[in-house]
Amino acid sequence: MTDISVISVRRTRDFYPVKTDKKLRSFLRKLGRRIRELRKAQEISQDQLAYESGLQRVTIGAIERGEQNPTTETLLNISSALNVEVRDLFDFDGLK
């Protein structure tokens, strides 16, 4: 039996629920924690990161909480705003 929950995926201005399994939820939480870790290490607010990446602040918050599954384009924008390589977003070693 698979543990199913619902997260939001942003399309245009609406949020559509997406069913996710336990592994994906865990991955999204790690990704979000890593993005938050990189942002805080540079002393950047969510507002600043949102502005620099061309995203909404609520979107950054949802990604950092692991509630939203970001697109490749979104990850590219975030990594560019943080001045890191995309692969650095997936460096989960040593996450708190």
Side-chain angles (χ1 to χ4, degrees):
M1 186 167 172
T2 303
D3 183 22
I4 300 292
S5 69
V6 176
I7 62 168
S8 296
V9 173
R10 186 155 190 246
R11 296 284 183 232
T12 58
R13 296 183 190 264
D14 300 318
F15 285 88
Y16 299 100
V18 175
K19 293 185 179 181
T20 61
D21 65 19
K22 198 173 186 177
K23 285 183 181 182
L24 179 57
R25 277 198 336 262
S26 175
F27 173 79
L28 292 175
R29 285 188 195 120
K30 287 178 187 176
L31 177 61
R33 284 197 310 265
R34 178 64 177 152
I35 291 170
R36 178 179 290 137
E37 177 182 76
L38 290 167
R39 176 180 61 78
K40 287 188 171 190
Q42 297 182 31
E43 299 179 353
I44 298 173
S45 69
Q46 283 185 343
D47 286 326
Q48 277 181 284
L49 180 57
Y51 177 78
E52 294 294 327
S53 61
L55 300 168
Q56 301 280 331
R57 184 191 51 78
V58 295
T59 301
I60 297 295
I63 291 169
E64 287 186 355
R65 289 187 304 274
E67 296 171 354
Q68 189 168 340
N69 190 352
T71 65
T72 304
E73 181 180 11
T74 297
L75 294 175
L76 285 168
N77 292 340
I78 290 172
S79 68
S80 177
L82 292 171
N83 296 311
V84 299
E85 297 291 326
V86 174
R87 69 174 171 253
D88 296 330
L89 301 178
F90 300 98
D91 183 7
F92 301 150
D93 293 336
L95 269 183
K96 300 171 187 170

